[in-house]
Amino acid sequence: MAGNLAKFSTGILKGIFRNATFKPVSSVLTQKRNAHFVFKPDQPSTKFGPTEKMSYLQSLTSAMDISLREDPTTLIFGEDVAFGGVFRCTKGLRDEYGSDRVFNTPLCEQGIVGFAIGAAVAGSNVIAEIQFADYIFPAFDQIVNEAAKYRYRSGGLFECGKLTIRAPCGAVGHGGLYHSQTPESYFAHTPGLKVVIPRSPIQAKGLLLSCVQDENPCIFLEPKILYRAAEEEVPTGNYTLPLSQAEILVEGKDVTLVGYGTQIHVLKEVAELAQTQLGVSCEVIDLVTILPWDRETVCNSVAKTGRLVVSHESPHTGGFAGEIASTVQKECFLNLEAPVERVCGYDTPFPHIMEPFYIPDKWRCLSAVQRVIDY
Amino acid sequence: MDLRGSIEMYLNKVFRCALHQRSRTLASLNFQGKRASQIRHSTTSTVDADGVSFEPNRNFVTKLEFLEPKIEDAIPIYRVFDNAGKVIDPSQDPQFSDDTLIRMYHAMKTLNIMDQVMYDAQRQGRVSFYMTNYGEEGCHIGSAAALDDQDLVFGQYREAGVLMWRGFKLEEFMDQCYANLNDPAAGKQMPVHYGSRKLNFVTISSPLATQMPQASGAAYALKRTHPGLCVICYFGEGAASEGDAHAAFNFAATLNAPCLFFCRNNGYAISTPVGDQYKGDGIAARGPGYGMLTIRVDGNDTLAVYNATSKARQIAVAENRPVLIEAMTYRVGHHSTSDDSSAYRSVDEVDYWSRTDDPIARFFRYMVNERKCWSEVQDKAFTKDSRKKIMTAFKNAEKRNKPSPSLMFTDVYKEIPPHLQQQQKEMIDHVRAHKDHYPLDRHEPI
């Protein structure tokens, strides 16, 4: 939770981790000072109508509220979602829309996803929750062999395009092996899925509504460290943001930095540090969608800067940075001035007490910028 | 129950509640001063503010005794007619019209002949793979006839009879097996992976039991959008060992899904006999553990299968709850064309079943002896005619071209994303440049 638990009520704290015990608020506060990133809200915009200050998790609730309100077939379910969810993302929804639409399931991830696929096949709009992305693997078969291939294998006679699977992911300060993983690259290897990781409340809401409306099964990974840390002015109405479209957040000319989720906030800080400490101008790109990803935006940027650093929390080998790197070297071979640098989690399980040394923090990223400049 | 018992029960209920809802424990500490009547009331009122009911049974025993599974006292097998086709208890005869009986028989028999033709076709290398339905035709037709045609079917792979009953055309079966241009999935899946939107039969996939929790979910969705309909989910006794089977049963029961789970217990999962598959009393004995209504039927008795499914359907739809049906049968054929079952079971065993307890033969005897609506002569004529129709469909399907290789890239997503468009173009360019190395002659233009 990296300190953000301070805002949780004690009642909520109980459910945060399976088998978790209460955490003294003091230790939580201490950890806040150690957060490995700083969230900076996007510029407020009224492009999508009136806004309201929302945290990342509130923006998700708002998206689900809209989906339940506007589509009577929408169902939301998973472990502990009825009382509001262990992260409070579904708070109030059952009371508003009834226990036949927002409900608990038995504790069984393969069942949750299988059940969700079936409901989507039968025409319901489904938002299923996996309590932590670390626990999505029991449902791997249902996601990879079933959800992803439903339309293909039936020639479109049957499909589960109305399925969205939400799962909290990523480093959280003290999550250890099973409350910290981001499994995006396992799914990136699966044709038929869309995989999305939003970095901010505005994005989280707009992209969740896009996933819900998209006619393909989507995996929606939510960096849980942002749930309470990230707050900004979020449009209150229904709006969508495009999938498979990367976003250039900071324009630059010397090095392209690509990442997604929490890592974007790290990279934005890296860009500032690179400017002030090295006099290097970085272009920061939020990939947003892992599959199918926006090759064009990334390759255009690298064609301009000639240098690329890709960074993600998940392990190096087989990580999605490898896919980006190999595509960029194919498309931008003549533009590249230095080898592509990948700054990722190490090829170990996600450790508990060693987390500060494991994550690809701003100092590791800054070193990589230095290397591509000095090459 | 005496007062002391009531108090004990109440205490334990409170204890259970407390485990779940710590915040409420304080309020429950006041109970000792209550009158007996109030306490009794408390024990029966087991629903808390959230509508969650706690298990009311808190009977204690003072004797140490483990519960022994009752294998020798197995769940009985429901039966309507015997091997000779004679109805055992006339009250159980569903009294079908002659026309319906003949239609049911036609479906079973046609499936059986189609299986013979397609099995041989695979042996001759004309299709890549096939799985017969020998010995299990009664399970398919008996259950399918008991459903509403709008009920959604999720199958495993050995339920082609359900499609046959619903009117899937012979050429549709063949087109799929031949993976020709008329296959709606453009030949993307292996043979016998049928599907039909029109007939509400969800496309088959190879991973076992994955359809089971999906069936629960679909039943839940249908309950809300199409009350009065249900879902039926077929699976073998081997698939029932998968984790997804457990998920499906538990989800359907806890979430009140009108889903019929139909288990074809045919004795084998490929080479694995049931003795290596489970230790309990088959699959049916698991039903009550999940809080499901359960029945075991004679799967070779088409009328028994019909009655059980029909009643199960009524209950599922009226009460929004799942029902488990275990149909005992025997897999007469090999597991598939990739399997020689004589490697793990005796020919005598197979002969016994096909000679003495075959669903088609039993149904035939019922029609001829009991109902007198069918005869040897009619049977020969039908068989001949059916074989002819099947051969015609077979030849037509064989003649058709294979789909355009470009279709490999369709239906991955609803739209074709840019990277797939690019790969599609690369494939087309490559194949055009190296025509001689690819089997383009049998395919639609690239």
Side-chain angles (χ1 to χ4, degrees):
Chain A
M1 291 294 93
N4 306 309
L5 288 187
K7 291 180 184 171
F8 279 53
S9 75
T10 48
I12 293 157
L13 264 170
K14 277 195 280 190
I16 285 169
F17 293 152
R18 282 181 183 168
N19 308 320
T21 48
F22 284 88
K23 219 169 213 321
V25 171
S26 56
S27 83
V28 166
L29 287 174
T30 323
Q31 285 170 11
K32 182 160 194 166
R33 287 193 286 274
N34 296 334
H36 70 286
F37 69 99
V38 178
F39 176 81
K40 286 187 184 156
D42 282 347
Q43 282 299 316
S45 154
T46 51
K47 187 177 156 197
F48 299 115
T51 63
E52 207 174 84
K53 194 160 198 175
M54 291 185 209
S55 65
Y56 194 103
L57 74 86
Q58 286 167 333
S59 76
L60 293 167
T61 314
S62 171
M64 289 189 269
D65 181 42
I66 287 170
S67 178
L68 285 160
R69 191 187 324 135
E70 298 193 352
D71 184 345
T73 72
T74 299
L75 303 173
I76 293 177
F77 52 83
E79 294 158 17
D80 306 301
V81 304
F83 89 113
V86 296
F87 289 110
R88 311 315 290 152
C89 293
T90 52
K91 192 180 165 191
L93 298 178
R94 176 192 53 178
D95 294 341
E96 182 73 23
Y97 298 99
S99 55
D100 70 321
R101 300 187 64 195
V102 181
F103 54 89
N104 288 338
T105 65
L107 203 164
C108 177
E109 285 76 14
Q110 64 196 99
I112 292 170
V113 175
F115 190 88
I117 293 170
V121 166
S124 283
N125 202 11
V126 177
I127 305 173
E129 180 181 303
I130 298 294
Q131 202 160 70
F132 287 84
D134 310 68
Y135 305 128
I136 205 166
F137 302 113
F140 202 67
D141 184 41
Q142 284 286 351
I143 295 170
V144 171
N145 276 331
E146 294 291 314
K149 298 170 174 63
Y150 233 97
R151 187 194 307 275
Y152 191 73
R153 72 187 187 206
S154 70
L157 291 181
F158 297 92
E159 41 87 16
C160 57
K162 289 184 164 190
L163 169 67
T164 303
I165 300 167
R166 292 180 42 240
C169 71
V172 72
H174 54 261
L177 280 76
Y178 306 112
H179 299 87
S180 309
Q181 297 177 71
T182 308
E184 78 283 17
S185 67
Y186 291 102
F187 297 109
H189 197 54
T190 306
L193 296 178
K194 293 197 175 179
V195 183
V196 180
I197 309 185
R199 71 166 188 280
S200 68
I202 297 174
Q203 253 198 352
K205 181 174 171 183
L207 288 168
L208 181 53
L209 284 167
S210 292
C211 285
V212 166
Q213 288 166 28
D214 191 84
E215 295 186 77
N216 301 287
C218 297
I219 299 194
F220 193 83
L221 296 170
E222 304 160 1
K224 56 189 166 296
I225 198 167
L226 298 172
Y227 277 153
R228 283 166 191 277
E231 262 189 341
E232 62 187 352
E233 288 292 326
V234 177
T236 54
N238 188 352
Y239 66 98
T240 57
L241 293 172
L243 302 181
S244 295
Q245 194 171 307
E247 210 178 321
I248 300 172
L249 300 176
V250 179
E251 293 205 16
K253 58 183 177 50
D254 300 326
V255 182
T256 300
L257 308 181
V258 174
Y260 39 83
T262 316
Q263 198 61 11
I264 283 301
H265 306 299
V266 175
L267 293 178
K268 279 164 80 176
E269 218 177 323
V270 170
E272 284 171 20
L273 289 170
Q275 189 67 64
T276 54
Q277 296 193 5
L278 312 174
V280 169
S281 157
C282 292
E283 181 145 298
V284 178
I285 298 180
D286 181 354
L287 196 63
V288 183
T289 305
I290 311 303
L291 186 72
W293 66 286
D294 183 356
R295 290 160 174 73
E296 204 182 338
T297 300
V298 174
C299 291
N300 284 344
S301 173
V302 179
K304 179 178 75 176
T305 61
R307 295 175 180 87
L308 174 63
V309 175
V310 192
S311 183
H312 55 59
E313 285 177 9
S314 37
H316 183 99
T317 302
F320 199 67
E323 180 61 33
I324 297 172
S326 69
T327 302
V328 164
Q329 72 83 20
K330 172 93 184 331
E331 300 298 325
C332 309
F333 188 67
L334 295 176
N335 307 97
L336 281 172
E337 306 281 351
V340 176
E341 279 283 343
R342 291 188 270 163
V343 189
C344 308
Y346 296 112
D347 288 337
T348 69
F350 203 112
H352 178 56
I353 203 65
M354 287 82 93
E355 179 171 323
F357 307 97
Y358 173 87
I359 51 170
D361 64 7
K362 59 190 170 194
W363 307 116
R364 282 179 60 200
C365 293
L366 190 64
S367 299
V369 170
Q370 179 88 61
R371 285 197 295 277
V372 295
I373 290 293
D374 292 349
Y375 189 79
Chain B
M1 182 185 296
D2 62 18
L3 176 61
R4 192 193 155 113
S6 301
I7 292 174
E8 268 186 359
M9 274 182 70
Y10 185 66
L11 260 170
N12 280 285
K13 184 223 160 196
V14 168
F15 180 61
R16 282 180 70 81
C17 288
L19 284 177
H20 290 266
Q21 295 198 311
R22 288 170 209 176
S23 60
R24 295 188 183 174
T25 48
L26 276 177
S28 65
L29 291 174
N30 300 324
F31 71 94
Q32 278 171 336
K34 284 186 182 174
R35 292 207 313 272
S37 60
Q38 286 174 309
I39 293 167
R40 260 202 192 97
H41 178 72
S42 307
T43 59
T44 53
S45 171
T46 55
V47 177
D48 78 356
D50 295 331
V52 181
S53 60
F54 296 105
E55 206 178 327
N57 178 13
R58 303 293 300 161
N59 291 330
F60 292 96
V61 291
T62 51
K63 195 175 152 200
L64 180 66
E65 197 171 13
F66 293 96
L67 189 64
E68 188 68 54
K70 294 177 179 168
I71 309 291
E72 62 292 338
D73 189 18
I75 296 170
I77 305 172
Y78 171 68
R79 191 172 240 210
V80 171
F81 56 37
D82 61 18
N83 289 345
K86 184 161 179 51
V87 172
I88 303 156
D89 174 354
S91 74
Q92 297 300 301
D93 187 336
Q95 302 287 350
F96 285 125
S97 69
D98 290 353
D99 286 350
T100 306
L101 285 175
I102 291 169
R103 197 186 146 206
M104 291 170 83
Y105 182 76
H106 281 185
M108 285 192 275
K109 190 82 182 171
T110 306
L111 175 63
N112 186 264
I113 301 167
M114 182 177 82
D115 278 350
Q116 295 168 29
V117 170
M118 294 308 289
Y119 185 82
D120 291 345
Q122 196 283 333
R123 298 281 95 170
Q124 295 161 16
R126 297 162 88 162
V127 294
S128 62
F129 179 78
Y130 196 72
M131 299 176 106
T132 63
N133 301 277
Y134 300 148
E136 301 181 43
E137 297 91 342
C139 292
H140 307 180
I141 305 305
S143 56
L147 299 171
D148 184 309
D149 281 349
Q150 301 298 308
D151 290 340
L152 195 57
V153 180
F154 284 81
Q156 179 164 304
Y157 49 61
R158 214 183 296 284
E159 294 91 10
V162 178
L163 275 167
M164 189 70 84
W165 174 258
R166 288 196 173 186
F168 204 56
K169 294 185 179 63
L170 291 172
E171 284 188 22
E172 291 180 281
F173 285 110
M174 310 285 181
D175 288 338
Q176 199 282 329
C177 289
Y178 268 109
N180 67 31
L181 60 90
N182 279 2
D183 172 15
K188 284 162 176 165
Q189 286 216 87
M190 284 174 77
V192 311
H193 290 55
Y194 310 117
S196 172
R197 179 86 244 181
K198 201 174 66 185
L199 303 177
N200 302 300
F201 188 100
V202 179
T203 301
I204 298 295
S205 73
S206 308
L208 287 181
T210 48
Q211 82 280 14
M212 298 179 69
Q214 293 171 18
S216 303
Y220 187 91
L222 285 185
K223 172 178 82 168
R224 296 188 68 245
T225 57
H226 296 79
L229 291 184
C230 73
V231 168
I232 189 164
C233 176
Y234 295 92
F235 56 100
E237 90 287 347
S241 295
E242 292 281 2
D244 275 338
H246 160 65
F249 296 152
N250 200 25
F251 275 57
T254 53
L255 296 167
N256 308 311
C259 189
L260 310 185
F261 290 107
F262 192 105
C263 179
R264 297 174 293 96
N265 189 337
N266 63 17
Y268 289 91
I270 306 187
S271 75
T272 306
V274 291
D276 295 348
Q277 197 65 248
Y278 51 71
K279 195 76 177 169
D281 176 18
I283 309 305
R286 299 176 196 172
Y290 291 99
M292 274 194 290
L293 275 182
T294 301
I295 192 167
R296 177 172 281 156
V297 300
D298 180 348
N300 296 343
D301 178 341
T302 311
L303 298 184
V305 172
Y306 172 85
N307 282 350
T309 312
S310 180
K311 186 68 184 170
R313 187 185 183 283
Q314 273 177 29
I315 296 167
V317 170
E319 300 177 23
N320 283 324
R321 59 187 298 200
V323 184
L324 174 62
I325 300 167
E326 182 183 25
M328 307 309 288
T329 180
Y330 185 81
R331 195 193 78 212
V332 172
H334 300 299
H335 163 69
S336 74
T337 48
S338 309
D339 171 52
D340 173 9
S341 65
S342 68
Y344 51 82
R345 64 180 184 182
S346 73
V347 177
D348 289 349
E349 177 185 312
V350 179
D351 280 353
Y352 168 81
W353 283 88
S354 54
R355 254 187 302 107
T356 63
D357 194 4
D358 177 75
I360 300 178
R362 276 169 75 177
F363 202 77
F364 173 85
R365 290 177 204 125
Y366 169 75
M367 290 170 76
V368 173
N369 303 334
E370 292 267 300
R371 297 291 301 268
K372 311 206 184 314
C373 64
W374 195 245
S375 69
E376 286 281 0
V377 178
Q378 280 171 301
D379 201 58
K380 281 210 172 87
F382 176 78
T383 304
K384 197 177 161 195
D385 182 53
S386 186
R387 178 167 276 277
K388 207 169 130 191
K389 283 180 181 149
I390 288 165
M391 289 314 296
T392 307
F394 178 84
K395 281 172 192 155
N396 288 342
E398 192 168 41
K399 266 186 276 184
R400 286 186 188 107
N401 260 355
K402 306 301 179 196
S404 166
S406 305
L407 296 181
M408 177 162 64
F409 296 92
T410 60
D411 292 322
V412 179
Y413 294 92
K414 172 81 174 175
E415 66 286 350
I416 304 184
H419 73 289
L420 280 186
Q421 289 176 25
Q422 191 194 330
Q423 290 174 22
Q424 188 179 35
K425 185 178 175 304
E426 281 168 13
M427 187 275 284
I428 293 169
D429 292 346
H430 173 80
V431 171
R432 282 194 180 138
H434 302 85
K435 279 192 180 63
D436 299 343
H437 304 299
Y438 296 92
L440 285 167
D441 53 327
R442 286 299 313 274
H443 283 267
E444 288 290 282
I446 195 164

